[in-house]
């Protein structure tokens, strides 16, 4: 029989202290029954002698020291998984909110997962075509990668995420594909956008949604991404599916983490975030990947909004150190009316080199990308110079580069929300832009490719 | 029934566990925690209470569970069989763990780091009756085709060889018996050494020979010496890991120890999958045969991350003692420092800067000080070197970060990575104005003897041109290019060539990835020769535009792709420079 404790002695923020306990384990789950018979869940954060510190996922509002009962369940938080999860919508703690029936689990899995043994990993090399030129051409996504979108308030990251979820596919293969979507602290409207979009395109059939809204308890957000990733691991490594996980918005997650840390009166690190935030975030991001001998894969696209568009803020900063690159959205591009407003220069896909080239995309891909980067950077530099010194100060060549960079933004980066460009279309578009400058300036492209592809574009 | 020890857990807080009844506990002893037997280390003692940092995930652990001390400090196993291996932060073999428990790392596993069953062909180098002391080579074992493992007399043993045999042995069998002052001692290939203790040497020497990495910006401008220390701080995306991988692959060290400390799992996988394919330039053997990896990725337990760099450097010291040139790469020391901070916070120590413990600087200095060029122990005065290179990941790329600052106070080479350069796709993104190396004087004699007597002179001229570019750029930005003299414009042109044709190097191009010193010298000579003769031509009143559009420039831009066997091409480029410019002057 499970023991019940009536010995809460202290409540602060999301934390409660339970005394006179025995046999409590670090990390186990507790159920707290309020006087109203409402049951909330929490997790043991620290045990000292007979005292246990418990963090409540649904907050402590309405909790009373004398009338609340605490039961410790002797295990971590678990999620019941089965293939029936597909097509369903859950709250941040995995309870159905779409009016559908309860899930009859095939098995229950601890949501914290275990680290993947580095020797068991398979290196991601398969190109994923998202149909977005700024990603496919310049910052290529590969299967098993974790590539976050660094956005800002008011930028169209939901549209980009939805477009990726809709269009992403691996060339030349028909495989089982699924999307796991975790919303943390986003607004109803934003969540509704995703749900409607998934329903409209039929993607919902192959999707699992975990939704923690802005007015849901902040602490619940700690569990939400782990619920999603546990589902993803089940689908990928037990059911051989290729899973795309979208996590939005990691900024809200990190703020929830800070809230708990502050309530525990821990020594804060930068901007009040706990010193262990790097480790904590890594236990989420590192759950992406491929495993040797398993057919499935987990590709992660976490989305975060940078406070004040500041890339050095701890949340984007620590994320960038863990993830394999980043897609950065730019406010100036957005103001110019360019969708998707992806700033390709500071964006980066670390796994790109292994995912592009012959037999994967096209042999000239790497060189074209490098050349476009160099040209766009030079063109932007020339334009900056022109602002200070006037356009007359530019050399003829620099004027060409300036023009090229404008065209690059208008034609290459910009595309429609429903436009799905193949990688060939993207690369050909790149070649078309490169014809604007003298061939002798194409220093980063091998001669044989210039021979082969530039002529085609000139015709 | 087994008697339960009376030491018991009284507190669990993340990776920190406090136990009471620990009267026997000694600082830094290893302990087994809880019923699962998790591995931990004692890091603080208050009366009979000991604080233990646990190297494995602690959920499910609770007060009342037993704690057992092993009465031995955290140690690594040393012996043949380490090479090519991949270990976690406390030297558990990850590949064998995978065979045993599957794709995920579970808890409470103990496995020997060194294979106990494999038999090695032991070839003695000493014979019965020889006098030996600690550090002397007893014999050798071919560990991998690339590495001859030298079996050393363990520390503390000195005397006469009584028995030694040429035979196949496992690491735990006795290979020799030595009569010492305190009786007959048996020697086995397997030895242990506490990770937090530096291995002993006879004496340290100043480094004199460069560690050739094949990276032009490093070897020419900011070289690190064999036995030196270097750090690479930089924001994310600036290419720290790519540079470290390149160095691990191409540096002319005999042994590489690569410590992945709190970094991405896929990066370790990349090394694991790539190094068996990459060939050693000298022998053509796979690089993995000279590489040892320590992998404690960011999502693996945080306390083991703290231990990982000590595990790595102790193994490195062991191979140094055999007389090898060993290079250690630690990626990233910031994650190690963060682990230190997390444990310190849970111990409720008074925090210093940014919450890091006050002893951060001391720990960093102690770590880098284990590098050096040394005379190893033993009678033969063998020389070995240990080079340490650490990546640092400062928040937001801000170099005022305490970890960066403490590191810079210790290390002698600073490779300043900049994200601005990375955005411009200038790789390696090492800033040529902010970086420095304090080994230039040490290695000058070697370079002028081995490569060319004017090596350092060329390097300094090139550096001066880059420096001048920086001040000229400022003027150009304000008033435009026309305002500066043709001579100054030529400086801008040459510095651009140095940047694009020399400093930039493509880590993914089969030829450009590695530039031998000889090629580096030739390339720099060509660029500076063009500069010199263009300057001369300007004096002879050749118009600048003509000089900026020389045909040979195209060849200079493609110099980096010249293969080692075609070194004569450099001479023909030089001749072409002379011909073209002479023509211009003659007109």
């Amino acid at each position: 029989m499970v023991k019940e404790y009536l010995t809460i002695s202290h409540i602060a923020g999301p934390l409660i202290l339970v005394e006179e306990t025995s046999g409590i384990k670090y990390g186990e789950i507790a159920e707290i029954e309020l006087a109203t018979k409402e049951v909330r869940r929490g997790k043991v954060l620290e045990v000292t002698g007979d005292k246990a510190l418990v963090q409540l996922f649904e907050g402590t509002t309405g909790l009373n020291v004398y009338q609340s009962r605490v039961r410790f369940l002797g295990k971590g938080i678990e999620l019941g998984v089965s293939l029936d999860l597909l097509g369903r919508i859950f709250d941040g703690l995995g309870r159905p909110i779409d009016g559908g029936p309860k899930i009859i689990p095939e098995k229950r899995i601890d949501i914290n997962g275990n680290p993947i043994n580095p020797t068991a990993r398979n290196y991601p090399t398969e190109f994923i075509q998202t149909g977005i030129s700024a990603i496919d051409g310049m910052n290529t996504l590969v299967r098993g990668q974790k590539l976050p979108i660094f956005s800002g308030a008011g930028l169209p990251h939901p549209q980009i995420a939805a477009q990726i979820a809709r269009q992403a596919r691996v060339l030349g293969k028909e495989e089982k594909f699924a999307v796991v979507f975790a919303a943390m602290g986003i607004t109803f409207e934003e969540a509704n956008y995703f749900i409607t979009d998934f329903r409209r395109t039929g993607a919902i059939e192959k999707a699992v949604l975990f939704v923690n809204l802005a007015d849901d308890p902040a602490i619940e957000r700690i569990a939400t991404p782990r619920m999603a990733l546990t589902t993803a691991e089940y689908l990928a490594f037990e059911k051989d599916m290729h899973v795309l996980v979208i996590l939005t918005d990691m900024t809200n997650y990190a703020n929830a983490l800070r809230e708990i840390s502050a309530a525990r009166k821990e020594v804060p690190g930068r901007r009040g975030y706990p010193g262990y935030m790097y480790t904590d975030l890594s236990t989420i991001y590192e759950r992406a990947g491929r495993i040797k001998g398993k057919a499935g894969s987990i590709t992660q696209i976490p989305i975060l909004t940078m406070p004040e568009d500041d890339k050095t803020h701890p949340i984007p900063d620590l994320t960038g150190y863990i993830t394999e690159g980043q897609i950065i959205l730019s406010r100036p591009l957005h103001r110019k009316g360019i969708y998707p407003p992806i700033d390709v220069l500071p964006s980066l896909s670390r796994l790109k080199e292994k995912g592009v080239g012959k037999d994967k995309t096209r042999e000239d891909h790497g060189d074209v990308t490098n050349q476009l980067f160099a040209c766009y950077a030079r063109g932007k530099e020339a334009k900056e110079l022109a602002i200070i010194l006037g356009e007359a100060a530019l050399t003829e060549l620099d004027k060409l580069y300036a023009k090229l960079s404008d065209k690059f933004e208008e034609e290459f980066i910009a595309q429609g929300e429903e436009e799905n460009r193949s990688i060939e279309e993207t690369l050909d578009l790149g070649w078309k832009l490169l014809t604007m400058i003298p061939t002798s300036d194409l220093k980063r492209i091998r001669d044989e490719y210039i021979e082969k592809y530039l002529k085609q574009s000139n015709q | 029934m087994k008697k339960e020890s009376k030491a018991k857990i009284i507190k669990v807080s993340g990776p920190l566990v406090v136990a009471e009844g620990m009267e026997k506990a000694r600082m830094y002893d290893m302990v087994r925690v809880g019923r699962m037997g998790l591995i931990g280390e004692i890091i603080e003692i208050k009366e009979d209470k000991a604080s233990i940092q646990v190297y494995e995930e602690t959920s499910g652990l609770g007060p009342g569970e037993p704690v057992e001390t092993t009465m031995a400090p955290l140690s690594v196993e040393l012996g043949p069989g380490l090479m090519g291996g991949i270990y976690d932060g406390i030297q558990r073999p990850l590949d064998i763990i995978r065979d045993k428990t599957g794709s995920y790392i579970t808890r409470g596993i103990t496995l020997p780091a060194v294979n106990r069953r494999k038999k090695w062909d032991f070839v003695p180098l000493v014979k019965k009756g020889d006098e030996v002391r600690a550090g002397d080579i007893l014999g050798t074992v071919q560990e991998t085709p690339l590495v001859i493992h030298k079996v050393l007399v363990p520390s503390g043993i000195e005397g006469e060889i009584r028995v030694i045999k040429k035979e196949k042995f496992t690491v735990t069998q006795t290979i020799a018996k030595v009569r010492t002052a305190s009786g007959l001692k048996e020697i086995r290939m397997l030895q242990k050494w506490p990770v937090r203790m530096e291995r002993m040497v006879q004496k340290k020497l100043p480094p004199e020979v460069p560690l050739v990495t094949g990276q032009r910006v490093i070897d020419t401008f900011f070289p690190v010496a064999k036995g030196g220390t270097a750090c690479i701080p930089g924001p994310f995306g600036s290419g720290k890991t790519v540079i470290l991988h390149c160095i691990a692959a191409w540096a002319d060290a005999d042994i590489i120890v690569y410590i992945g400390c709190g970094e991405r799992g896929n990066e370790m996988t990349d090394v694991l999958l790539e190094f068996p394919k990459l060939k050693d330039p000298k022998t053509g053997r796979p690089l993995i045969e000279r590489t040892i990896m320590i992998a404690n990725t960011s999502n693996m337990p945080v306390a083991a991350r703290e231990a990982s760099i000590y595990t790595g450097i102790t193994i490195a010291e062991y191979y140094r003692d055999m007389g090898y040139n060993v290079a250690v790469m630690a990626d990233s020391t910031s994650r190690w420092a963060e682990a230190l901070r997390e444990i310190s916070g849970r111990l409720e120590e008074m925090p210093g800067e940014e919450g890091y413990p006050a002893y951060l600087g001391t720990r960093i200095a102690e770590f880098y000080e284990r590098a050096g060029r040394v005379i190893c122990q033993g009678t033969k005065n063998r020389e070995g070197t240990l080079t340490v290179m650490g990546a640092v990941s400062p928040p937001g790329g801000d170099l005022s970060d305490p970890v960066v600052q403490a590191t810079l106070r210790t290390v002698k080479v600073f490779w300043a990575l900049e994200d601005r350069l990375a955005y411009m796709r200038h790789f390696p993104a090492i800033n040529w104005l902010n970086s420095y190396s304090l080994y230039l004087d040490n290695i000058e004699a070697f370079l002028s003897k081995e490569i060319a007597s004017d090596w350092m002179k060329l390097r300094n001229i090139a550096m001066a041109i880059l420096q001048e570019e920086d001040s000229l750029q400022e003027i150009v930005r304000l008033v435009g290019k026309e305002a500066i003299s043709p001579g100054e414009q030529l400086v801008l042109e040459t510095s651009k060539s140095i940047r694009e044709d020399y400093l930039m190097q493509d880590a993914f191009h089969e030829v450009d990835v590695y530039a031998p010193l000889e090629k580096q010298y030739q390339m720099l000579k060509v660029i500076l020769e063009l500069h010199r003769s263009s300057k001369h031509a300007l004096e002879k009143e050749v118009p600048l535009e003509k000089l900026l559009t020389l045909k040979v420039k195209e060849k200079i831009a493609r110099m980096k792709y010249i293969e080692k066997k075609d070194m004569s091409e450099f001479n023909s480029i030089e001749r072409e420079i002379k011909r073209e410019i002479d023509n211009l002057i003659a007109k």
Side-chain angles (χ1 to χ4, degrees):
Chain A
M1 209 198 85
V2 183
K3 244 193 207 169
E4 274 191 349
Y5 295 99
L6 272 158
T7 47
I8 298 176
S9 68
H10 196 97
I11 305 175
L15 306 177
I16 60 169
L17 190 69
V18 190
E19 301 203 359
E20 295 167 45
T21 60
S22 69
I24 306 301
K25 308 291 182 201
Y26 172 77
E28 78 175 295
I29 266 292
E31 275 183 359
I32 295 91
E33 194 182 313
L34 276 63
T36 55
K37 296 286 171 210
E38 184 198 346
V39 175
R40 294 185 191 170
R41 285 198 277 176
K43 180 186 160 193
V44 176
L45 282 191
E46 191 176 302
V47 271
T48 312
D50 64 350
K51 295 186 186 67
L53 186 69
V54 180
Q55 158 207 324
L56 264 63
F57 289 111
E58 289 114 317
T60 44
T61 317
L63 203 67
N64 174 296
V65 168
Y66 300 105
Q67 288 160 335
S68 308
R69 298 158 185 275
V70 184
R71 292 184 290 270
F72 292 94
L73 306 184
K75 57 178 187 193
I77 312 181
E78 290 175 337
L79 178 74
V81 290
S82 90
L83 278 178
D84 296 336
L85 288 171
L86 288 168
R88 299 292 303 274
I89 305 173
F90 303 91
D91 74 353
L93 282 176
R95 292 171 292 221
I97 50 168
D98 54 359
K102 274 182 90 170
I103 299 289
I104 298 162
E106 178 189 319
K107 63 183 200 174
R108 306 189 70 85
I109 308 177
D110 190 305
I111 64 160
N112 286 312
N114 278 318
I116 301 175
N117 188 328
T119 62
R121 280 182 185 268
N122 219 341
Y123 203 75
T125 51
E126 282 174 297
F127 167 68
I128 297 182
Q129 180 176 299
T130 63
I132 298 174
S133 293
I135 296 177
D136 291 350
M138 310 302 283
N139 294 290
T140 316
L141 177 70
V142 295
R143 209 174 238 182
Q145 185 174 16
K146 36 192 181 293
L147 188 64
I149 296 176
F150 287 9
S151 184
L155 293 178
H157 48 267
Q159 284 80 353
I160 298 173
Q163 190 174 1
I164 295 174
R166 236 175 12 239
Q167 300 179 349
R169 67 186 190 92
V170 170
L171 293 179
K173 287 184 188 168
E174 265 326 304
E175 277 166 337
K176 287 192 282 179
F177 189 78
V179 175
V180 175
F181 176 84
M184 292 155 278
I186 64 173
T187 58
F188 167 76
E189 282 168 55
E190 214 174 314
N192 194 46
Y193 169 81
F194 281 105
I195 295 171
T196 321
D197 193 78
F198 283 178
R199 286 216 167 105
R200 179 176 63 87
T201 58
I204 192 107
E205 296 299 319
K206 287 280 164 210
V208 187
L209 286 79
F210 293 89
V211 183
N212 163 280
L213 293 179
D215 58 349
D216 287 336
I219 307 306
E220 195 179 288
R221 277 162 217 164
I222 301 293
T224 310
R226 297 190 163 86
M227 294 276 169
L229 286 162
T230 305
T231 310
E233 279 169 5
Y234 166 77
L235 295 175
F237 302 132
E238 290 183 35
K239 300 292 167 198
D240 297 341
M241 300 179 100
H242 293 284
V243 186
L244 178 70
V245 181
I246 297 173
L247 307 168
T248 178
D249 173 334
M250 288 306 289
T251 304
N252 296 332
Y253 171 84
N255 287 340
L257 206 63
R258 175 167 69 177
E259 208 177 310
I260 298 171
S261 172
R264 291 184 68 183
K265 300 192 173 60
E266 290 172 337
V267 181
R270 269 208 316 154
R271 301 225 188 171
Y273 292 97
Y276 50 79
M277 190 157 88
Y278 175 83
T279 308
D280 189 280
L281 287 175
S282 77
T283 58
I284 294 176
Y285 296 141
E286 278 288 330
R287 289 172 80 172
R290 291 167 65 208
I291 291 182
K292 281 181 194 156
K294 311 252 170 147
S297 68
I298 298 179
T299 309
Q300 257 189 43
I301 302 191
I303 297 170
L304 55 90
T305 44
M306 298 182 279
E308 292 175 63
D309 296 352
D310 176 12
K311 194 163 70 86
T312 65
H313 185 279
I315 302 170
D317 189 51
L318 294 179
T319 299
Y321 274 122
I322 306 166
T323 54
E324 284 138 353
Q326 65 278 336
I327 301 287
I328 297 186
L329 303 191
S330 142
R331 205 168 290 277
L333 280 182
H334 182 59
R335 284 203 201 103
K336 278 193 212 168
I338 287 171
Y339 172 89
I342 294 174
D343 191 352
V344 295
L345 291 182
S347 298
L348 169 76
S349 162
R350 289 166 187 270
L351 306 183
K352 181 183 76 195
E353 271 75 17
K354 300 265 161 77
V356 305
K358 208 166 173 233
D359 300 330
K360 286 169 182 156
T361 51
R362 208 167 75 181
E363 53 184 1
D364 56 324
H365 190 158
D367 287 6
V368 170
T369 306
N370 282 335
Q371 190 64 57
L372 283 172
F373 267 125
C375 292
Y376 181 52
R378 179 154 173 204
K380 278 188 86 167
E381 220 167 81
K383 279 170 72 181
E384 268 168 39
L385 205 66
I387 292 170
I388 305 170
L389 299 170
E391 198 149 325
L394 295 185
T395 63
E396 282 309 310
L397 194 59
D398 275 340
K399 278 182 198 159
L400 281 181
Y401 275 105
K403 214 172 126 203
L404 174 85
S405 75
D406 282 335
K407 284 270 180 208
F408 180 76
E409 287 174 5
E410 290 159 16
E411 292 179 10
F412 189 89
I413 296 183
Q415 66 185 86
E417 241 180 84
E418 300 287 334
E419 189 180 347
N420 192 354
R421 286 187 195 153
S422 75
I423 184 65
E424 282 80 18
E425 284 172 321
T426 294
L427 290 176
D428 291 343
L429 202 54
W431 278 107
K432 201 182 120 208
L433 293 170
L434 291 176
T435 56
M436 294 173 65
I437 56 165
T439 314
S440 62
D441 259 37
L442 300 179
K443 282 189 188 172
R444 298 184 188 227
I445 305 184
R446 271 162 255 219
D447 294 336
E448 63 240 55
Y449 301 152
I450 293 183
E451 192 73 14
K452 188 168 165 190
Y453 294 99
L454 196 65
K455 285 210 181 114
Q456 285 177 4
S457 309
N458 276 332
Q459 281 158 11
Chain B
M1 207 181 94
K2 202 179 135 210
K3 205 183 139 228
E4 216 163 284
S5 72
K6 72 176 177 97
K8 279 189 176 57
I9 297 175
I10 54 170
K11 174 179 174 172
V12 186
S13 167
L16 183 82
V17 166
V18 181
E20 65 176 7
M22 301 280 288
E23 293 87 353
K24 277 195 284 178
R26 299 180 308 187
M27 272 301 263
Y28 297 114
D29 268 359
M30 231 172 64
V31 290
R32 293 294 198 149
V33 179
R35 288 188 194 100
M36 285 176 277
L38 307 182
I39 298 166
E41 189 182 8
I42 295 174
I43 51 169
E44 193 181 77
I45 302 176
K46 276 183 200 153
E47 293 169 1
D48 73 330
K49 292 182 189 67
S51 300
I52 300 158
Q53 62 174 348
V54 180
Y55 293 126
E56 298 178 77
E57 170 64 43
T58 50
S59 49
L61 217 56
E65 288 193 49
V67 175
E68 245 177 277
T69 58
T70 60
M71 298 304 287
L74 181 65
S75 303
V76 285
E77 291 191 351
L78 302 168
L82 289 170
M83 210 44 73
I86 177 164
Y87 299 96
D88 77 351
I90 48 173
Q91 215 202 4
R92 283 181 300 189
L94 286 170
D95 43 350
I96 299 171
I97 289 183
R98 181 171 76 101
D99 294 341
K100 289 227 148 109
T101 65
S103 305
Y104 295 95
I105 295 172
T106 45
R107 292 185 283 170
I109 310 160
T110 24
L111 282 168
V114 175
N115 189 328
R116 296 285 194 273
R117 279 200 292 270
K118 180 159 181 172
K119 289 207 164 191
W120 300 91
D121 264 320
F122 176 72
V123 183
L125 289 184
V126 293
K127 54 186 190 303
K128 189 178 165 186
D130 284 357
E131 287 289 332
V132 292
R133 63 176 159 128
D136 279 339
I137 299 174
L138 285 174
T140 60
V141 150
Q142 191 77 42
E143 187 173 1
T144 68
L146 268 182
V147 177
I148 295 173
H149 193 105
K150 297 165 187 167
V151 182
L152 308 177
V153 177
S155 138
I157 289 184
E158 186 172 350
E160 185 199 333
I161 300 271
R162 298 301 304 156
V163 182
I164 190 159
K165 267 182 281 182
K166 181 179 185 328
E167 217 180 283
K168 278 180 181 277
F169 290 112
T170 67
V171 290
T172 47
Q173 284 173 323
T174 305
I175 53 161
K177 289 181 184 161
V178 178
R179 188 164 65 204
T180 67
S182 56
L184 202 61
K185 292 265 159 70
E186 295 185 345
I187 297 177
R188 296 171 184 84
M189 286 196 273
L190 185 73
Q191 300 174 11
K192 286 196 173 188
W193 193 267
V195 294
R196 293 183 198 278
M197 213 168 105
E198 198 174 336
R199 280 176 69 88
M200 280 168 284
V201 296
Q202 282 198 48
K203 66 172 174 196
K204 281 201 168 181
L205 303 169
E208 276 174 357
V209 178
L211 181 80
V212 182
T213 63
Q215 303 296 305
R216 289 185 290 268
V217 60
I218 293 177
D219 290 348
T220 309
F221 289 97
F222 312 106
V224 59
K226 286 200 175 94
T229 49
C231 76
I232 321 181
F236 64 83
S238 54
K240 286 183 295 294
T241 305
V242 176
I243 292 177
L244 282 185
H245 279 196
C246 273
I247 298 177
W250 302 109
D252 66 340
D254 303 311
I255 311 283
I256 301 285
V257 178
Y258 196 98
I259 309 169
C261 175
E263 288 287 306
R264 305 177 182 90
N266 274 335
E267 282 171 1
M268 296 316 294
T269 312
D270 189 26
V271 177
L272 268 179
L273 297 178
E274 281 299 312
F275 276 38
K277 286 187 230 153
L278 291 175
K279 299 272 187 293
D280 179 43
K282 277 174 288 182
T283 58
R285 298 290 313 172
L287 285 171
I288 195 84
E289 291 177 357
R290 62 152 196 189
T291 311
I292 298 172
M293 273 170 285
I294 311 291
N296 213 88
T297 58
S298 52
N299 55 341
M300 280 157 78
V302 69
R305 195 191 297 168
E306 195 270 334
S308 65
I309 70 163
Y310 295 106
T311 301
I313 202 155
T314 309
I315 294 174
E317 282 176 344
Y318 173 66
Y319 282 93
R320 175 207 61 195
D321 288 348
M322 297 178 199
Y324 284 119
N325 296 309
V326 186
V328 170
M329 276 114 218
D331 184 14
S332 147
T333 55
S334 290
R335 306 300 161 223
W336 165 76
E338 278 165 14
L340 212 60
R341 172 169 72 184
E342 182 167 348
I343 304 287
S344 163
R346 293 194 193 259
L347 281 172
E348 288 163 15
E349 290 174 340
M350 184 70 80
E353 261 180 287
E354 297 261 2
Y356 286 105
Y359 46 79
L360 174 73
T362 326
R363 291 281 171 89
I364 289 178
E366 277 168 4
F367 170 68
Y368 282 105
E369 201 47 28
R370 289 173 78 163
R373 176 173 155 240
V374 303
I375 299 289
C376 308
Q377 284 210 306
T379 44
K380 294 280 159 55
N381 292 340
R382 256 187 334 275
E383 199 181 298
T385 65
L386 174 52
T387 314
V388 178
M389 283 159 272
V392 192
S393 323
D398 175 10
L399 296 185
S400 69
D401 166 62
V403 184
V404 177
Q405 286 305 314
T407 307
L408 286 182
R409 280 197 294 276
T410 313
V411 300
K412 299 283 186 289
V413 180
F414 169 49
W415 295 316
L417 287 178
E418 233 176 55
D419 48 1
R420 188 182 58 87
L421 290 174
Y423 298 163
M424 288 162 60
R425 295 305 188 263
H426 176 113
F427 287 114
I430 297 177
N431 181 306
W432 48 91
L433 296 175
N434 296 343
S435 305
Y436 61 76
S437 164
L438 302 181
Y439 290 118
L440 291 170
D441 296 337
N442 297 41
I443 61 172
E444 186 174 357
F446 174 88
L447 288 171
S448 52
K449 190 164 142 263
E450 297 291 324
I451 308 296
S453 55
D454 58 345
W455 173 283
M456 209 45 84
K457 200 177 119 212
L458 290 186
R459 184 243 173 220
N460 290 341
I461 295 174
M463 205 55 216
I465 290 174
L466 289 170
Q467 188 67 53
E468 198 179 343
E469 178 196 32
D470 190 53
S471 33
L472 285 176
Q473 283 290 8
E474 231 157 80
I475 302 174
V476 171
R477 236 170 273 138
L478 287 175
V479 290
K481 225 174 190 171
E482 289 69 37
I484 59 172
S485 72
E488 287 168 331
Q489 289 193 39
L490 181 68
V491 168
L492 287 186
E493 184 68 14
T494 306
S495 61
K496 184 172 158 236
S497 169
I498 298 177
R499 280 189 282 115
E500 293 183 358
D501 305 330
Y502 194 80
L503 295 179
M504 273 163 73
Q505 197 166 349
D506 187 350
F508 299 96
H509 189 285
E510 53 276 17
V511 178
D512 197 27
V513 61
Y514 177 78
L517 285 185
E518 178 64 18
K519 181 178 164 187
Q520 300 192 17
Y521 171 72
Q522 293 290 354
M523 286 176 73
L524 196 59
K525 207 166 120 211
V526 164
I527 293 174
L528 294 179
E529 177 55 31
L530 176 66
H531 182 70
R532 196 194 58 80
S533 42
S534 300
K535 218 157 117 187
H536 176 69
L538 274 183
E539 281 161 15
K540 298 277 179 202
E541 289 172 6
V542 174
L544 181 69
E545 298 78 62
K546 289 254 159 65
L547 292 168
L548 296 185
T549 51
L550 290 177
K551 267 170 101 183
V552 72
K553 279 182 174 268
E554 192 129 321
K555 286 211 170 136
I556 292 180
R558 297 196 176 267
M559 254 183 338
K560 41 175 89 162
Y561 308 120
I562 294 176
E563 286 179 54
K564 210 179 159 191
K565 57 176 167 49
D566 305 324
M567 289 297 267
S568 59
E569 273 189 45
F570 287 105
N571 289 330
S572 76
I573 295 179
E574 268 184 64
R575 278 198 299 277
E576 214 173 312
I577 293 175
K578 189 168 179 330
R579 200 169 52 238
E580 268 197 83
I581 291 199
D582 283 352
N583 277 345
L584 285 176
I585 294 175
K587 264 182 205 166

